[in-house]
Amino acid sequence: MSASMEVTLQDPPIDQVSDHNGVAAQDSAPSPMLSEQKVLVSVEVCLKPTSTARIDDVCSAVVRMLENRSLSYSDGPIPVPLDEAFLLENVQRISICDTDEWMNNHNILLFWQVKPVVHVFQLSEEGPCEEISTDGQLSSFNEWILPAKEFDGMWESLIYESGLKQRLLRYAASALLFTEKGVDQFLVSWNRIILLHGPPGTGKTSLCKALAQKLSIRFNQRYPQCQLIEVNAHSLFSKWFSESGKLVAKLFQKIQEMVEEENNLVFVLIDEVESLAAARKAALSGSEPSDSIRVVNALLTQMDKLKSSPNVIVLTTSNITAAIDVAFVDRADIKAYIGPPTLQARYEILRSCLQELMRTGILTGLQDCKNITLPNYASAKERLNTPENLEAATANQLCKQLLETAEACEGMSGRSLRKLPFLAHAALANPFDCNPIEFLCTMIETAKRERSELPD
């Protein structure tokens, strides 16, 4: 159950705009570009599991709420107004998305500059489905109905260099649009295949799942049904030598049945795709049965057949860039390297971890600890370069310590960074009474220990 709606809000008088609280404020005239073309901002509305409200009714109610509140726009959740009984009854949360790129180059994004695109969706709680084969063994793929509760919030938790996630979203939008408009693929070629490669622990598989989740929300008006098929290439190969191409044929027969439904958008995730290249190279060198190369060729052929289906996107990952089969690399439209997080990314990852530990009361000791909002990387650097007043001393000290912690974590993967706060807490002498600044000092020591134990 899902739908989306575009909304254009009325322009206010040039000399009057409203801040977050709806208070009138003075501002200069809008730029000519903005008066002609508004900034598209996605507004995602997640319904409660118990809601049976009509999607159009929810869209209309959200539109009215946005018009009445005269919000300025920045990424993150916005509260459902207490006086909106219908929304309170049916809506779990409302989130603003896609403003980061604008905010990096401009100041605040005001409501009259925005053209909201409202997406209403309800999470599936079914979880992954594993088919049982005739011999009683689990099949080599999992299936999810999207958007899935299991992947809720994953997209927002993944932090990469600026623009990567937007690049992937825009690619998918273009791929689906070209197909929808019937562009001749003999004249303009695209395969709807994405390859994310890089070292382990950088979140490639999670990014693929989160991208599928996000696209299932963004394109829900065109494709009210969405599914994710996760293929474990390594697992397939462990059975191929005894079962030849039967598993491949069965897998793609399943996918073909899904894509025959025009309203169904199918994502095929192939993890560790370098397994394909490894088997093919081994077969060519004579160290593996020749049957394996026929199976790999069959898999590539089946993927080529999917090109004729407009409603399928193939997502792949690889830990060993050099081992990827050239024939496969050539098929990928986007080949994005996902490396270890930069200093800014490390700061943002650790900031989100620290914010969560303060919110839940794991870290205490500072006044109003639960309500402290840590600044982002750019604001933190700016804050540390400005004169300090007594009121901001504690916050500045926290920012400085967080930056030092991020610097001490150079070379660590995103997966290791997310685990670091837990390991640091486990190392505390008194885990029930620790303030954030002391905790960050422990995190630095824990990071040094973790890095020293990494294999060369």
Side-chain angles (χ1 to χ4, degrees):
M1 181 167 72
S2 51
S4 61
M5 179 181 294
E6 291 190 1
V7 185
T8 304
L9 302 181
Q10 295 296 318
D11 288 2
I14 288 175
D15 61 347
Q16 185 175 341
V17 296
S18 299
D19 62 14
H20 281 278
N21 300 313
V23 179
Q26 298 298 314
D27 194 41
S28 58
S31 68
M33 181 194 75
L34 286 175
S35 61
E36 297 172 2
Q37 183 178 359
K38 293 178 180 291
V39 179
L40 290 177
V41 171
S42 292
V43 180
E44 296 182 357
V45 182
C46 180
L47 296 177
K48 292 179 178 179
T50 55
S51 174
T52 57
R54 292 177 66 251
I55 297 300
D56 290 345
D57 292 342
V58 176
C59 279
S60 299
V62 171
V63 169
R64 287 193 300 270
M65 184 272 290
L66 292 173
E67 290 176 333
N68 294 336
R69 302 235 331 143
S70 300
L71 291 167
S72 57
Y73 283 74
S74 60
D75 278 13
I78 59 174
V80 180
L82 297 177
D83 57 350
E84 294 278 359
F86 176 73
L87 292 179
L88 285 172
E89 181 183 353
N90 292 285
V91 172
Q92 185 167 304
R93 69 172 182 274
I94 302 173
S95 300
I96 304 295
C97 312
D98 304 336
T99 64
D100 280 355
E101 187 174 356
W102 173 272
M103 299 292 283
N104 288 337
N105 302 312
H106 305 77
N107 293 320
I108 198 166
L109 186 61
L110 298 164
F111 72 96
W112 50 268
Q113 298 171 307
V114 168
K115 183 178 183 180
V117 183
V118 180
H119 306 275
V120 180
F121 65 96
Q122 202 163 31
L123 295 170
S124 168
E125 300 185 353
E126 291 188 17
C129 173
E130 293 181 329
E131 291 192 2
I132 305 296
S133 61
T134 54
D135 58 4
Q137 294 181 333
L138 289 177
S139 66
S140 297
F141 63 91
N142 293 331
E143 176 187 349
W144 283 270
I145 296 175
L146 300 178
K149 185 177 181 181
E150 185 173 342
F151 305 142
D152 189 33
M154 185 182 287
W155 178 264
E156 290 73 20
S157 72
L158 296 169
I159 299 170
Y160 296 101
E161 63 182 67
S162 177
L164 173 62
K165 294 198 292 186
Q166 281 299 320
R167 178 190 173 200
L168 294 175
L169 280 177
R170 287 171 179 168
Y171 159 78
S174 293
L176 293 173
L177 177 66
F178 274 46
T179 307
E180 188 76 16
K181 295 295 186 181
V183 175
D184 190 336
Q185 291 201 0
F186 291 108
L187 300 178
V188 181
S189 178
W190 73 101
N191 293 317
R192 296 189 303 280
I193 297 177
I194 296 173
L195 171 61
L196 304 182
H197 60 97
T202 51
K204 300 181 295 297
T205 305
S206 295
L207 181 55
C208 285
K209 292 177 179 178
L211 177 62
Q213 174 93 342
K214 183 63 69 172
L215 292 172
S216 73
I217 294 170
R218 296 295 175 86
F219 291 94
N220 52 22
Q221 188 174 32
R222 171 63 184 86
Y223 299 103
Q225 302 174 48
C226 291
Q227 290 166 287
L228 170 64
I229 300 294
E230 181 183 20
V231 181
N232 188 317
H234 181 74
S235 173
L236 277 175
F237 269 102
S238 68
K239 299 176 181 179
W240 272 354
F241 303 123
S242 61
E243 299 182 19
S244 187
K246 292 180 182 178
L247 285 175
V248 179
K250 180 181 177 182
L251 169 63
F252 278 88
Q253 181 183 358
K254 170 82 172 176
I255 295 172
Q256 287 292 347
E257 290 172 0
M258 292 178 179
V259 299
E260 284 175 5
E261 176 56 56
E262 292 183 357
N263 292 327
N264 191 22
L265 180 59
V266 180
F267 301 93
V268 180
L269 168 57
I270 304 178
D271 210 6
E272 299 179 2
V273 76
E274 69 271 10
S275 300
L276 307 180
R280 210 151 91 143
K281 287 179 179 178
L284 287 171
S285 66
S287 60
E288 293 289 357
S290 60
D291 185 53
S292 65
I293 192 169
R294 289 197 296 269
V295 176
V296 176
N297 287 337
L299 180 61
L300 293 174
T301 301
Q302 291 285 352
M303 291 180 65
D304 287 341
K305 286 182 180 179
L306 290 178
K307 185 176 178 180
S308 62
S309 302
N311 52 332
V312 61
I313 295 178
V314 179
L315 310 166
T316 65
T317 72
S318 174
N319 291 332
I320 311 171
T321 308
I324 308 174
D325 195 296
V326 175
F328 180 81
V329 173
D330 190 51
R331 286 166 167 80
D333 298 325
I334 283 189
K335 297 166 278 288
Y337 176 75
I338 312 294
T342 62
L343 174 60
Q344 179 174 350
R346 296 197 301 273
Y347 175 91
E348 295 296 348
I349 290 171
L350 294 175
R351 176 172 78 102
S352 66
C353 293
L354 199 66
Q355 197 79 62
E356 178 64 10
L357 294 183
M358 291 193 295
R359 182 192 70 81
T360 56
I362 297 290
L363 298 181
T364 56
L366 295 181
Q367 186 178 8
D368 206 20
C369 195
K370 285 189 177 183
N371 296 320
I372 291 178
T373 300
L374 297 169
N376 61 24
Y377 180 80
S379 299
K381 296 286 285 186
E382 184 179 342
R383 176 176 289 191
L384 294 178
N385 291 329
T386 56
E388 186 178 282
N389 57 55
L390 186 61
E391 202 173 287
T394 301
N396 284 6
Q397 187 180 357
L398 197 54
C399 285
K400 183 179 179 182
Q401 196 70 30
L402 187 56
L403 278 168
E404 290 178 5
T405 306
E407 290 168 356
C409 294
E410 184 176 0
M412 296 182 70
S413 67
R415 181 187 297 160
S416 299
L417 287 171
R418 291 287 182 193
K419 196 187 303 179
L420 186 62
F422 170 78
L423 297 175
H425 189 268
L428 293 172
N430 183 2
F432 302 104
D433 183 21
C434 184
N435 70 54
I437 294 174
E438 293 171 351
F439 182 72
L440 287 171
C441 293
T442 305
M443 280 182 67
I444 292 176
E445 295 303 314
T446 306
K448 290 178 180 177
R449 185 181 70 244
E450 290 294 304
R451 290 178 62 191
S452 69
E453 294 175 353
L454 288 174
D456 295 333

mmCIF file of all heavy atoms in Angstrom, residues 242-281:
data_model
loop_
_atom_site.group_PDB
_atom_site.id
_atom_site.type_symbol
_atom_site.label_atom_id
_atom_site.label_comp_id
_atom_site.label_asym_id
_atom_site.label_seq_id
_atom_site.Cartn_x
_atom_site.Cartn_y
_atom_site.Cartn_z
ATOM 1 N N SER A 242 27.973 -30.135 -8.223
ATOM 2 C CA SER A 242 27.194 -31.366 -8.111
ATOM 3 C C SER A 242 25.852 -31.250 -8.815
ATOM 4 O O SER A 242 25.297 -32.239 -9.257
ATOM 5 C CB SER A 242 26.974 -31.731 -6.642
ATOM 6 O OG SER A 242 26.246 -30.704 -5.997
ATOM 7 N N GLU A 243 25.348 -30.030 -8.922
ATOM 8 C CA GLU A 243 24.006 -29.837 -9.490
ATOM 9 C C GLU A 243 24.030 -29.069 -10.798
ATOM 10 O O GLU A 243 22.978 -28.728 -11.337
ATOM 11 C CB GLU A 243 23.116 -29.109 -8.479
ATOM 12 C CG GLU A 243 22.927 -29.868 -7.182
ATOM 13 C CD GLU A 243 21.995 -29.152 -6.218
ATOM 14 O OE1 GLU A 243 21.237 -28.280 -6.686
ATOM 15 O OE2 GLU A 243 22.020 -29.462 -5.027
ATOM 16 N N SER A 244 25.234 -28.774 -11.291
ATOM 17 C CA SER A 244 25.407 -28.079 -12.559
ATOM 18 C C SER A 244 24.582 -26.792 -12.572
ATOM 19 O O SER A 244 24.602 -26.026 -11.620
ATOM 20 C CB SER A 244 25.037 -29.016 -13.710
ATOM 21 O OG SER A 244 25.334 -28.438 -14.942
ATOM 22 N N GLY A 245 23.830 -26.538 -13.646
ATOM 23 C CA GLY A 245 23.123 -25.259 -13.782
ATOM 24 C C GLY A 245 21.705 -25.273 -13.279
ATOM 25 O O GLY A 245 20.969 -24.312 -13.520
ATOM 26 N N LYS A 246 21.315 -26.339 -12.555
ATOM 27 C CA LYS A 246 19.916 -26.434 -12.130
ATOM 28 C C LYS A 246 19.513 -25.286 -11.216
ATOM 29 O O LYS A 246 18.423 -24.723 -11.348
ATOM 30 C CB LYS A 246 19.667 -27.766 -11.431
ATOM 31 C CG LYS A 246 19.746 -28.979 -12.347
ATOM 32 C CD LYS A 246 19.485 -30.262 -11.583
ATOM 33 C CE LYS A 246 19.616 -31.479 -12.496
ATOM 34 N NZ LYS A 246 19.418 -32.744 -11.755
ATOM 35 N N LEU A 247 20.409 -24.950 -10.272
ATOM 36 C CA LEU A 247 20.083 -23.866 -9.334
ATOM 37 C C LEU A 247 19.989 -22.522 -10.053
ATOM 38 O O LEU A 247 19.139 -21.699 -9.739
ATOM 39 C CB LEU A 247 21.128 -23.800 -8.218
ATOM 40 C CG LEU A 247 21.038 -24.889 -7.151
ATOM 41 C CD1 LEU A 247 22.199 -24.778 -6.185
ATOM 42 C CD2 LEU A 247 19.724 -24.784 -6.396
ATOM 43 N N VAL A 248 20.873 -22.313 -11.016
ATOM 44 C CA VAL A 248 20.836 -21.062 -11.775
ATOM 45 C C VAL A 248 19.526 -20.957 -12.544
ATOM 46 O O VAL A 248 18.852 -19.920 -12.542
ATOM 47 C CB VAL A 248 22.037 -20.978 -12.736
ATOM 48 C CG1 VAL A 248 21.974 -19.675 -13.527
ATOM 49 C CG2 VAL A 248 23.334 -21.061 -11.968
ATOM 50 N N ALA A 249 19.149 -22.046 -13.211
ATOM 51 C CA ALA A 249 17.903 -22.056 -13.987
ATOM 52 C C ALA A 249 16.697 -21.812 -13.084
ATOM 53 O O ALA A 249 15.791 -21.038 -13.422
ATOM 54 C CB ALA A 249 17.757 -23.392 -14.711
ATOM 55 N N LYS A 250 16.702 -22.450 -11.910
ATOM 56 C CA LYS A 250 15.584 -22.297 -10.984
ATOM 57 C C LYS A 250 15.506 -20.869 -10.459
ATOM 58 O O LYS A 250 14.429 -20.276 -10.364
ATOM 59 C CB LYS A 250 15.735 -23.270 -9.819
ATOM 60 C CG LYS A 250 14.609 -23.185 -8.800
ATOM 61 C CD LYS A 250 14.823 -24.167 -7.661
ATOM 62 C CE LYS A 250 13.720 -24.019 -6.615
ATOM 63 N NZ LYS A 250 13.918 -24.934 -5.465
ATOM 64 N N LEU A 251 16.682 -20.309 -10.151
ATOM 65 C CA LEU A 251 16.729 -18.941 -9.642
ATOM 66 C C LEU A 251 16.169 -17.955 -10.658
ATOM 67 O O LEU A 251 15.305 -17.131 -10.339
ATOM 68 C CB LEU A 251 18.176 -18.580 -9.297
ATOM 69 C CG LEU A 251 18.462 -17.100 -8.992
ATOM 70 C CD1 LEU A 251 17.694 -16.652 -7.768
ATOM 71 C CD2 LEU A 251 19.948 -16.880 -8.807
ATOM 72 N N PHE A 252 16.624 -18.033 -11.887
ATOM 73 C CA PHE A 252 16.190 -17.060 -12.884
ATOM 74 C C PHE A 252 14.780 -17.329 -13.386
ATOM 75 O O PHE A 252 14.100 -16.413 -13.861
ATOM 76 C CB PHE A 252 17.202 -16.993 -14.031
ATOM 77 C CG PHE A 252 18.374 -16.125 -13.710
ATOM 78 C CD1 PHE A 252 19.482 -16.655 -13.070
ATOM 79 C CD2 PHE A 252 18.360 -14.775 -13.991
ATOM 80 C CE1 PHE A 252 20.558 -15.859 -12.739
ATOM 81 C CE2 PHE A 252 19.420 -13.961 -13.669
ATOM 82 C CZ PHE A 252 20.540 -14.508 -13.037
ATOM 83 N N GLN A 253 14.324 -18.553 -13.264
ATOM 84 C CA GLN A 253 12.916 -18.824 -13.551
ATOM 85 C C GLN A 253 12.033 -18.090 -12.549
ATOM 86 O O GLN A 253 11.003 -17.509 -12.905
ATOM 87 C CB GLN A 253 12.645 -20.330 -13.492
ATOM 88 C CG GLN A 253 11.191 -20.689 -13.818
ATOM 89 C CD GLN A 253 10.928 -22.187 -13.692
ATOM 90 O OE1 GLN A 253 11.832 -22.967 -13.404
ATOM 91 N NE2 GLN A 253 9.699 -22.592 -13.904
ATOM 92 N N LYS A 254 12.474 -18.100 -11.285
ATOM 93 C CA LYS A 254 11.750 -17.382 -10.227
ATOM 94 C C LYS A 254 11.726 -15.877 -10.520
ATOM 95 O O LYS A 254 10.688 -15.217 -10.415
ATOM 96 C CB LYS A 254 12.431 -17.653 -8.886
ATOM 97 C CG LYS A 254 11.954 -16.809 -7.726
ATOM 98 C CD LYS A 254 10.700 -17.346 -7.114
ATOM 99 C CE LYS A 254 10.349 -16.601 -5.836
ATOM 100 N NZ LYS A 254 9.064 -17.045 -5.262
ATOM 101 N N ILE A 255 12.887 -15.347 -10.925
ATOM 102 C CA ILE A 255 12.984 -13.908 -11.206
ATOM 103 C C ILE A 255 12.135 -13.544 -12.422
ATOM 104 O O ILE A 255 11.434 -12.513 -12.417
ATOM 105 C CB ILE A 255 14.457 -13.508 -11.418
ATOM 106 C CG1 ILE A 255 15.244 -13.707 -10.119
ATOM 107 C CG2 ILE A 255 14.568 -12.062 -11.888
ATOM 108 C CD1 ILE A 255 16.738 -13.535 -10.275
ATOM 109 N N GLN A 256 12.162 -14.373 -13.444
ATOM 110 C CA GLN A 256 11.368 -14.102 -14.644
ATOM 111 C C GLN A 256 9.878 -14.076 -14.336
ATOM 112 O O GLN A 256 9.128 -13.255 -14.873
ATOM 113 C CB GLN A 256 11.658 -15.152 -15.724
ATOM 114 C CG GLN A 256 13.017 -15.017 -16.390
ATOM 115 C CD GLN A 256 13.150 -13.764 -17.243
ATOM 116 O OE1 GLN A 256 12.174 -13.086 -17.548
ATOM 117 N NE2 GLN A 256 14.374 -13.446 -17.612
ATOM 118 N N GLU A 257 9.428 -14.958 -13.454
ATOM 119 C CA GLU A 257 8.019 -14.954 -13.054
ATOM 120 C C GLU A 257 7.657 -13.654 -12.353
ATOM 121 O O GLU A 257 6.552 -13.127 -12.523
ATOM 122 C CB GLU A 257 7.749 -16.146 -12.128
ATOM 123 C CG GLU A 257 7.790 -17.499 -12.833
ATOM 124 C CD GLU A 257 7.704 -18.660 -11.855
ATOM 125 O OE1 GLU A 257 7.603 -18.401 -10.628
ATOM 126 O OE2 GLU A 257 7.718 -19.821 -12.302
ATOM 127 N N MET A 258 8.588 -13.127 -11.565
ATOM 128 C CA MET A 258 8.337 -11.870 -10.852
ATOM 129 C C MET A 258 8.239 -10.689 -11.807
ATOM 130 O O MET A 258 7.340 -9.856 -11.693
ATOM 131 C CB MET A 258 9.459 -11.611 -9.836
ATOM 132 C CG MET A 258 9.500 -12.566 -8.676
ATOM 133 S SD MET A 258 10.896 -12.167 -7.597
ATOM 134 C CE MET A 258 10.686 -13.409 -6.326
ATOM 135 N N VAL A 259 9.162 -10.622 -12.772
ATOM 136 C CA VAL A 259 9.208 -9.437 -13.645
ATOM 137 C C VAL A 259 8.105 -9.451 -14.694
ATOM 138 O O VAL A 259 7.860 -8.427 -15.347
ATOM 139 C CB VAL A 259 10.595 -9.314 -14.324
ATOM 140 C CG1 VAL A 259 11.686 -9.165 -13.291
ATOM 141 C CG2 VAL A 259 10.867 -10.491 -15.240
ATOM 142 N N GLU A 260 7.440 -10.582 -14.863
ATOM 143 C CA GLU A 260 6.308 -10.624 -15.799
ATOM 144 C C GLU A 260 5.143 -9.775 -15.313
ATOM 145 O O GLU A 260 4.306 -9.340 -16.111
ATOM 146 C CB GLU A 260 5.861 -12.076 -16.006
ATOM 147 C CG GLU A 260 6.797 -12.879 -16.913
ATOM 148 C CD GLU A 260 6.404 -14.338 -16.995
ATOM 149 O OE1 GLU A 260 5.340 -14.700 -16.423
ATOM 150 O OE2 GLU A 260 7.138 -15.127 -17.618
ATOM 151 N N GLU A 261 5.092 -9.531 -14.005
ATOM 152 C CA GLU A 261 4.072 -8.642 -13.442
ATOM 153 C C GLU A 261 4.548 -7.202 -13.610
ATOM 154 O O GLU A 261 5.523 -6.783 -12.981
ATOM 155 C CB GLU A 261 3.850 -8.984 -11.963
ATOM 156 C CG GLU A 261 2.887 -8.064 -11.239
ATOM 157 C CD GLU A 261 1.528 -7.993 -11.898
ATOM 158 O OE1 GLU A 261 0.908 -9.060 -12.080
ATOM 159 O OE2 GLU A 261 1.105 -6.863 -12.245
ATOM 160 N N GLU A 262 3.871 -6.436 -14.453
ATOM 161 C CA GLU A 262 4.334 -5.092 -14.828
ATOM 162 C C GLU A 262 4.380 -4.129 -13.651
ATOM 163 O O GLU A 262 5.150 -3.170 -13.660
ATOM 164 C CB GLU A 262 3.438 -4.513 -15.924
ATOM 165 C CG GLU A 262 3.551 -5.238 -17.258
ATOM 166 C CD GLU A 262 2.701 -4.596 -18.329
ATOM 167 O OE1 GLU A 262 1.974 -3.621 -18.004
ATOM 168 O OE2 GLU A 262 2.766 -5.045 -19.484
ATOM 169 N N ASN A 263 3.537 -4.349 -12.643
ATOM 170 C CA ASN A 263 3.506 -3.444 -11.491
ATOM 171 C C ASN A 263 4.473 -3.859 -10.396
ATOM 172 O O ASN A 263 4.447 -3.305 -9.297
ATOM 173 C CB ASN A 263 2.086 -3.380 -10.915
ATOM 174 C CG ASN A 263 1.122 -2.708 -11.865
ATOM 175 O OD1 ASN A 263 1.508 -1.806 -12.607
ATOM 176 N ND2 ASN A 263 -0.128 -3.144 -11.865
ATOM 177 N N ASN A 264 5.338 -4.828 -10.676
ATOM 178 C CA ASN A 264 6.270 -5.338 -9.684
ATOM 179 C C ASN A 264 7.689 -4.908 -10.044
ATOM 180 O O ASN A 264 8.178 -5.199 -11.132
ATOM 181 C CB ASN A 264 6.186 -6.877 -9.638
ATOM 182 C CG ASN A 264 6.929 -7.455 -8.451
ATOM 183 O OD1 ASN A 264 7.170 -6.778 -7.463
ATOM 184 N ND2 ASN A 264 7.303 -8.719 -8.542
ATOM 185 N N LEU A 265 8.357 -4.181 -9.145
ATOM 186 C CA LEU A 265 9.749 -3.777 -9.342
ATOM 187 C C LEU A 265 10.634 -4.762 -8.585
ATOM 188 O O LEU A 265 10.477 -4.957 -7.380
ATOM 189 C CB LEU A 265 9.968 -2.352 -8.833
ATOM 190 C CG LEU A 265 11.382 -1.780 -8.974
ATOM 191 C CD1 LEU A 265 11.827 -1.774 -10.431
ATOM 192 C CD2 LEU A 265 11.438 -0.361 -8.401
ATOM 193 N N VAL A 266 11.565 -5.414 -9.304
ATOM 194 C CA VAL A 266 12.379 -6.484 -8.726
ATOM 195 C C VAL A 266 13.840 -6.042 -8.650
ATOM 196 O O VAL A 266 14.404 -5.536 -9.633
ATOM 197 C CB VAL A 266 12.264 -7.776 -9.571
ATOM 198 C CG1 VAL A 266 13.125 -8.883 -8.965
ATOM 199 C CG2 VAL A 266 10.812 -8.220 -9.657
ATOM 200 N N PHE A 267 14.430 -6.229 -7.481
ATOM 201 C CA PHE A 267 15.853 -5.973 -7.282
ATOM 202 C C PHE A 267 16.553 -7.313 -7.078
ATOM 203 O O PHE A 267 16.134 -8.113 -6.238
ATOM 204 C CB PHE A 267 16.086 -5.072 -6.064
ATOM 205 C CG PHE A 267 15.412 -3.737 -6.166
ATOM 206 C CD1 PHE A 267 14.142 -3.537 -5.638
ATOM 207 C CD2 PHE A 267 16.044 -2.677 -6.795
ATOM 208 C CE1 PHE A 267 13.517 -2.312 -5.739
ATOM 209 C CE2 PHE A 267 15.422 -1.444 -6.906
ATOM 210 C CZ PHE A 267 14.151 -1.261 -6.376
ATOM 211 N N VAL A 268 17.615 -7.560 -7.844
ATOM 212 C CA VAL A 268 18.402 -8.785 -7.712
ATOM 213 C C VAL A 268 19.764 -8.401 -7.141
ATOM 214 O O VAL A 268 20.530 -7.674 -7.786
ATOM 215 C CB VAL A 268 18.574 -9.505 -9.066
ATOM 216 C CG1 VAL A 268 19.397 -10.781 -8.893
ATOM 217 C CG2 VAL A 268 17.214 -9.828 -9.677
ATOM 218 N N LEU A 269 20.063 -8.850 -5.934
ATOM 219 C CA LEU A 269 21.328 -8.535 -5.267
ATOM 220 C C LEU A 269 22.241 -9.756 -5.326
ATOM 221 O O LEU A 269 21.904 -10.826 -4.807
ATOM 222 C CB LEU A 269 21.073 -8.136 -3.808
ATOM 223 C CG LEU A 269 22.296 -8.042 -2.888
ATOM 224 C CD1 LEU A 269 23.331 -7.067 -3.441
ATOM 225 C CD2 LEU A 269 21.871 -7.629 -1.479
ATOM 226 N N ILE A 270 23.394 -9.605 -5.995
ATOM 227 C CA ILE A 270 24.390 -10.674 -6.071
ATOM 228 C C ILE A 270 25.597 -10.242 -5.247
ATOM 229 O O ILE A 270 26.361 -9.363 -5.652
ATOM 230 C CB ILE A 270 24.805 -10.981 -7.521
ATOM 231 C CG1 ILE A 270 23.568 -11.319 -8.364
ATOM 232 C CG2 ILE A 270 25.797 -12.135 -7.564
ATOM 233 C CD1 ILE A 270 23.875 -11.591 -9.820
ATOM 234 N N ASP A 271 25.739 -10.862 -4.074
ATOM 235 C CA ASP A 271 26.836 -10.526 -3.162
ATOM 236 C C ASP A 271 28.081 -11.321 -3.552
ATOM 237 O O ASP A 271 27.989 -12.444 -4.049
ATOM 238 C CB ASP A 271 26.412 -10.874 -1.735
ATOM 239 C CG ASP A 271 27.059 -9.962 -0.711
ATOM 240 O OD1 ASP A 271 27.732 -8.998 -1.115
ATOM 241 O OD2 ASP A 271 26.890 -10.215 0.497
ATOM 242 N N GLU A 272 29.252 -10.693 -3.322
ATOM 243 C CA GLU A 272 30.529 -11.352 -3.626
ATOM 244 C C GLU A 272 30.558 -11.867 -5.066
ATOM 245 O O GLU A 272 30.834 -13.038 -5.339
ATOM 246 C CB GLU A 272 30.789 -12.496 -2.634
ATOM 247 C CG GLU A 272 30.880 -12.028 -1.198
ATOM 248 C CD GLU A 272 31.120 -13.173 -0.216
ATOM 249 O OE1 GLU A 272 31.261 -14.319 -0.675
ATOM 250 O OE2 GLU A 272 31.176 -12.921 0.984
ATOM 251 N N VAL A 273 30.292 -10.965 -5.973
ATOM 252 C CA VAL A 273 30.194 -11.351 -7.386
ATOM 253 C C VAL A 273 31.540 -11.807 -7.949
ATOM 254 O O VAL A 273 31.600 -12.450 -8.995
ATOM 255 C CB VAL A 273 29.610 -10.174 -8.213
ATOM 256 C CG1 VAL A 273 30.662 -9.088 -8.439
ATOM 257 C CG2 VAL A 273 29.042 -10.665 -9.537
ATOM 258 N N GLU A 274 32.652 -11.511 -7.234
ATOM 259 C CA GLU A 274 33.954 -11.981 -7.701
ATOM 260 C C GLU A 274 34.039 -13.508 -7.718
ATOM 261 O O GLU A 274 34.912 -14.091 -8.375
ATOM 262 C CB GLU A 274 35.090 -11.410 -6.841
ATOM 263 C CG GLU A 274 35.166 -11.925 -5.413
ATOM 264 C CD GLU A 274 34.338 -11.092 -4.457
ATOM 265 O OE1 GLU A 274 33.563 -10.235 -4.933
ATOM 266 O OE2 GLU A 274 34.469 -11.288 -3.241
ATOM 267 N N SER A 275 33.131 -14.174 -6.998
ATOM 268 C CA SER A 275 33.091 -15.641 -7.055
ATOM 269 C C SER A 275 32.879 -16.119 -8.490
ATOM 270 O O SER A 275 33.393 -17.168 -8.893
ATOM 271 C CB SER A 275 31.957 -16.172 -6.175
ATOM 272 O OG SER A 275 32.139 -15.791 -4.833
ATOM 273 N N LEU A 276 32.120 -15.352 -9.267
ATOM 274 C CA LEU A 276 31.894 -15.709 -10.670
ATOM 275 C C LEU A 276 33.202 -15.689 -11.442
ATOM 276 O O LEU A 276 33.536 -16.624 -12.170
ATOM 277 C CB LEU A 276 30.914 -14.730 -11.311
ATOM 278 C CG LEU A 276 29.571 -14.495 -10.602
ATOM 279 C CD1 LEU A 276 28.751 -13.502 -11.395
ATOM 280 C CD2 LEU A 276 28.822 -15.790 -10.426
ATOM 281 N N ALA A 277 33.961 -14.610 -11.254
ATOM 282 C CA ALA A 277 35.225 -14.472 -11.977
ATOM 283 C C ALA A 277 36.218 -15.538 -11.543
ATOM 284 O O ALA A 277 36.933 -16.115 -12.360
ATOM 285 C CB ALA A 277 35.808 -13.084 -11.735
ATOM 286 N N ALA A 278 36.268 -15.811 -10.250
ATOM 287 C CA ALA A 278 37.231 -16.790 -9.740
ATOM 288 C C ALA A 278 36.978 -18.164 -10.358
ATOM 289 O O ALA A 278 37.902 -18.855 -10.776
ATOM 290 C CB ALA A 278 37.139 -16.861 -8.211
ATOM 291 N N ALA A 279 35.704 -18.572 -10.427
ATOM 292 C CA ALA A 279 35.377 -19.884 -10.982
ATOM 293 C C ALA A 279 35.701 -19.940 -12.473
ATOM 294 O O ALA A 279 36.182 -20.938 -12.983
ATOM 295 C CB ALA A 279 33.901 -20.201 -10.747
ATOM 296 N N ARG A 280 35.431 -18.833 -13.185
ATOM 297 C CA ARG A 280 35.659 -18.830 -14.621
ATOM 298 C C ARG A 280 37.161 -18.898 -14.936
ATOM 299 O O ARG A 280 37.606 -19.643 -15.801
ATOM 300 C CB ARG A 280 35.035 -17.589 -15.248
ATOM 301 C CG ARG A 280 34.582 -17.847 -16.678
ATOM 302 C CD ARG A 280 33.439 -16.985 -17.055
ATOM 303 N NE ARG A 280 33.866 -15.736 -17.655
ATOM 304 C CZ ARG A 280 33.203 -15.157 -18.660
ATOM 305 N NH1 ARG A 280 32.128 -15.725 -19.156
ATOM 306 N NH2 ARG A 280 33.599 -14.023 -19.146
ATOM 307 N N LYS A 281 37.952 -18.132 -14.191
ATOM 308 C CA LYS A 281 39.396 -18.147 -14.413
ATOM 309 C C LYS A 281 39.990 -19.507 -14.070
ATOM 310 O O LYS A 281 40.870 -20.015 -14.754
ATOM 311 C CB LYS A 281 40.066 -17.053 -13.570
ATOM 312 C CG LYS A 281 39.811 -15.641 -14.092
ATOM 313 C CD LYS A 281 40.482 -14.605 -13.218
ATOM 314 C CE LYS A 281 40.237 -13.195 -13.747
ATOM 315 N NZ LYS A 281 40.844 -12.170 -12.868
#
